[in-house]
Amino acid sequence: MERREVTELRASTEQRTLEGYAAKFGTEARIDNFKETIRQGAFGGTLDKDILALVDHDPSRLLARTSTGTLELQEDTEGLWFRIKVPNTSTGNDILELAKRGDLGGMSFGFIPDQEQWNGNTREILSVDLREISVASAWPAYPETTVQARTKTPKLNQVKRFLETV
């Protein structure tokens, strides 16, 4: 299984939720001695099964799962969007506090590539078998990752529209 760290995370301590993008399409990451991008649609065939939300890919630090409705995943034109209903556990409380302080590194995801295309030392992921998403404590593979804490979690489309007008 491969793992990638990527993109943004927002926290709402009032609602005990984390949301953002676990993957973004068309952005480039350097993985060892090659570059990698993810094509739009890569997650489409994998979201109908039980997928976990973990901390640092550690199954003993479970935050949520799709089969219980505590993890929501959607693929849109930007990437793989998620919302985690954070549990009132020591792990959940620690993650919320770190997100609020801005100490987290980003998001990550664990997958098995189904289809990929190589062009020299650049790999484009066309389709994946997604196993889990993870809150990443340290360094993300994709450089544009951000982690932010918010007192209220705005809808992502509203935030996007606002930022486009600024």
Side-chain angles (χ1 to χ4, degrees):
M1 183 167 70
E2 298 186 30
R3 297 178 176 137
R4 298 291 180 271
E5 287 84 31
V6 70
T7 206
E8 66 186 62
L9 172 65
R10 292 182 188 88
S12 169
T13 52
E14 290 176 8
Q15 299 175 9
R16 296 191 61 83
T17 60
L18 299 174
E19 69 178 56
Y21 283 89
K24 286 232 179 159
F25 300 131
T27 60
E28 190 175 277
R30 180 162 292 285
I31 312 296
D32 294 325
N33 61 346
F34 65 94
K35 298 175 190 172
E36 178 181 271
T37 61
I38 304 167
R39 182 182 287 181
Q40 184 175 346
F43 298 98
T46 193
L47 299 180
D48 61 346
K49 62 181 188 160
D50 190 25
I51 298 168
L52 306 178
L54 307 173
V55 177
D56 292 324
H57 305 287
D58 183 349
S60 70
R61 298 175 72 196
L62 178 68
L63 292 173
R65 63 189 324 141
T66 56
S67 65
T68 62
T70 54
L71 171 61
E72 296 174 55
L73 293 169
Q74 292 179 359
E75 185 178 58
D76 63 21
T77 57
E78 287 187 55
L80 180 63
W81 175 86
F82 72 91
R83 178 179 294 132
I84 299 169
K85 296 176 184 172
V86 180
N88 188 12
T89 61
S90 57
T91 298
N93 295 333
D94 290 348
I95 289 301
L96 276 178
E97 180 62 22
L98 290 169
K100 186 173 84 172
R101 291 170 29 132
D103 289 340
L104 296 175
M107 289 300 294
S108 181
F109 58 100
F111 68 100
I112 297 172
D114 284 335
Q115 291 182 304
E116 56 190 37
Q117 185 173 3
W118 286 89
N119 183 9
N121 70 338
T122 301
R123 174 169 94 162
E124 183 179 30
I125 307 261
L126 307 177
S127 174
V128 302
D129 178 6
L130 184 65
R131 300 302 175 95
E132 50 93 5
I133 67 169
S134 281
V135 176
S137 299
W139 303 280
Y142 287 77
E144 63 282 331
T145 63
T146 60
V147 180
Q148 300 172 336
R150 301 191 185 255
T151 56
K152 291 187 177 182
T153 305
K155 294 201 179 280
L156 291 176
N157 289 337
Q158 292 172 340
V159 171
K160 181 179 172 188
R161 276 188 241 117
F162 171 77
L163 292 174
E164 289 171 351
T165 62
V166 175

